[in-house]
Amino acid sequence: MSESKSSAPGISILLSCAVLAGIMGWTGRGMAERSECSQPAAAQETQVRKEPLTAGGTGMGTFYSLKVNGEYPGGQEALARDAEETIRRIEKEISTFDKTSELSKFNNYQGTGRFEVSRDTAVMVAETMRLGKSIGGATDITIFPLVDLWGFGPSKKPEGFVPDDESIQKAKSLLGLDRLHVIMDAGKYYLQKDFPELHVDLSTVGEGYGADRFAELMDRKGVQNYLVQIAGASRSRGISPSGRPWRIAINGPRRDEETVMETIVPEEMAVSTAGSYRNYFEKDGKRFSHAIDPVTGRPIEHRTVSVTVIAPTALETDALDTGLLVLGADRALEYAEKAGLPIYCIVKDESGQFVSRYSSAFEKYLAK
């Protein structure tokens, strides 16, 4: 599993002056804490009690971070232990780095009969397929053969390798959401594929799924104020150490500098971003992004460079942001308006400037 959408743009968490150090980066996505120092000093003294408890590390091919504003049962040590156990359980379910994971075993299975998996894996696959189909298959968890063909998977390719049409068509023949099935029977859960070569890669939604699991951990422990994140996906609840709801900055798509395009208040909703501008190669002056359209079998060529989605769960945002990026801003916004979905697109205009476009449902989340 190319566990991380490592090309996704940065999303910065806006915190108080008391916590300007300690949070981990977002796998090259410009994750950085910023100051909320606009409050009067007296207000800060009453609202900011202390620095939050934090835990972070690596997993699923990227970085994760948890931040608790208040107490956590068992303290810092328990928070770090519980976070680590959670991420390792997820890897045992859906990692393709770990050859003993459920998903790896399914991918290596050379039959077409039912293959038993955990309820969590089955639900994750089913929901991602449902959302992918809702946007015309633009999010396709069977797209691995194309990703690998273009040099963004584990297979070694010469630098600047561009596959020919025949190879692209052959890889496309191994795709298909309609050729993957999720079955529940007598209280057990199964995946089934129509042909042995079908390969499922959940890296598109792994970060969002992980963020949801972290949020479930916080809720189960009775934590009222937290921010959890895995790379480009986050969940939050309650207030930050500043005494205000958590704020998130959507960073501009530049490698050489960190700029903020917009600041949002997610209001306990999930947020994730997919981008096309960090993971790419160039050949003969043309850029080839890792964001591949399953319909054409080729990297996207439009000017949309990132899409941020807000929804109740991070699995949902993560299942949609990549597909909406593939569709491009025009089609993505058309879908969002019909669905009442809050999305925010960054587009490179003809003059080379980055401009933002967002759906009407997104406006309520803009920081005032």
Side-chain angles (χ1 to χ4, degrees):
M1 177 179 183
S2 55
E3 248 80 1
S4 167
K5 290 185 294 187
S6 59
S7 62
I11 298 181
S12 300
I13 306 304
L14 303 185
L15 300 173
S16 71
C17 302
V19 289
L20 287 175
I23 199 168
M24 299 192 67
W26 286 40
T27 319
R29 302 182 193 199
M31 176 63 169
E33 296 195 45
R34 298 178 180 274
S35 174
E36 281 189 343
C37 300
S38 58
Q39 299 183 76
Q44 291 188 21
E45 289 177 359
T46 59
Q47 293 174 348
V48 180
R49 298 189 304 256
K50 58 182 180 180
E51 292 189 1
L53 296 176
T54 61
T58 58
M60 299 167 62
T62 187
F63 292 93
Y64 68 87
S65 175
L66 298 86
K67 197 169 287 286
V68 174
N69 179 30
E71 302 301 323
Y72 185 87
Q76 176 78 47
E77 183 177 345
L79 176 63
R81 181 185 65 247
D82 292 347
E84 180 73 7
E85 289 178 353
T86 298
I87 202 75
R88 299 311 162 210
R89 283 198 299 271
I90 296 171
E91 288 180 333
K92 282 298 180 183
E93 294 169 353
I94 65 171
S95 174
T96 53
F97 289 146
D98 183 351
K99 299 307 179 184
T100 66
S101 73
E102 286 187 348
L103 193 62
S104 290
K105 291 178 180 178
F106 174 70
N107 285 334
N108 291 328
Y109 172 54
Q110 292 301 298
T112 57
R114 294 181 177 184
F115 187 93
E116 187 173 355
V117 295
S118 65
R119 178 187 180 278
D120 286 343
T121 297
V123 170
M124 184 180 181
V125 170
E127 181 66 359
T128 306
M129 290 172 61
R130 181 187 70 81
L131 291 165
K133 290 176 180 179
S134 77
I135 51 177
T139 296
D140 189 340
I141 57 176
T142 70
I143 200 172
F144 175 80
L146 280 172
V147 173
D148 199 40
L149 176 66
W150 281 94
F152 299 106
S155 296
K156 300 297 183 181
K157 295 288 192 302
E159 185 175 352
F161 172 79
V162 176
D164 57 31
D165 290 345
E166 182 179 353
S167 298
I168 292 172
Q169 292 304 315
K170 182 178 179 180
K172 283 181 61 179
S173 72
L174 300 176
L175 275 58
L177 290 177
D178 58 343
R179 303 157 95 178
L180 174 65
H181 314 280
V182 181
I183 302 166
M184 185 182 74
D185 187 12
K188 293 185 177 182
Y189 296 84
Y190 305 89
L191 299 182
Q192 188 172 18
K193 46 189 171 181
D194 286 354
F195 55 93
E197 296 81 11
L198 189 73
H199 186 109
V200 176
D201 190 339
L202 295 173
S203 60
T204 298
V205 292
E207 295 165 5
Y209 176 69
D212 287 338
R213 292 284 287 271
F214 279 151
E216 290 170 6
L217 170 66
M218 296 292 108
D219 294 341
R220 190 167 65 247
K221 295 291 184 176
V223 178
Q224 298 299 312
N225 305 296
Y226 61 79
L227 168 70
V228 297
Q229 57 207 44
I230 299 183
S234 71
R235 288 280 302 272
S236 61
R237 181 180 181 185
I239 60 173
S240 73
S242 69
R244 298 192 293 181
W246 300 96
R247 290 185 167 207
I248 292 179
I250 302 175
N251 289 350
R254 296 188 182 278
R255 283 183 166 183
D256 54 346
E257 62 178 310
E258 184 179 306
T259 58
V260 175
M261 293 289 292
E262 198 64 72
T263 302
I264 62 174
V265 181
E267 298 180 2
E268 304 189 1
M269 298 280 275
V271 183
S272 69
T273 299
S276 65
Y277 61 87
R278 292 187 188 273
N279 191 9
Y280 64 87
F281 68 87
E282 294 186 351
K283 177 73 175 294
D284 298 330
K286 185 176 181 179
R287 180 175 295 187
F288 296 87
S289 165
H290 83 297
I292 297 173
D293 186 340
V295 175
T296 65
R298 300 175 180 278
I300 59 175
E301 297 184 354
H302 53 65
R303 293 178 176 271
T304 303
V305 296
S306 78
V307 175
T308 297
V309 179
I310 298 176
T313 71
L315 175 59
E316 182 177 354
T317 64
D318 233 4
L320 290 172
D321 61 9
T322 299
L324 294 175
L325 173 64
V326 166
L327 292 180
D330 290 342
R331 294 168 65 192
L333 288 165
E334 180 181 359
Y335 169 87
E337 291 298 342
K338 290 179 179 178
L341 181 71
I343 73 168
Y344 180 94
C345 306
I346 300 178
V347 181
K348 190 174 185 178
D349 66 18
E350 293 184 358
S351 66
Q353 299 298 309
F354 293 110
V355 297
S356 61
R357 299 172 61 189
Y358 52 85
S359 65
S360 55
F362 194 91
E363 187 169 3
K364 65 176 287 190
Y365 298 100
L366 296 175
K368 306 303 183 185

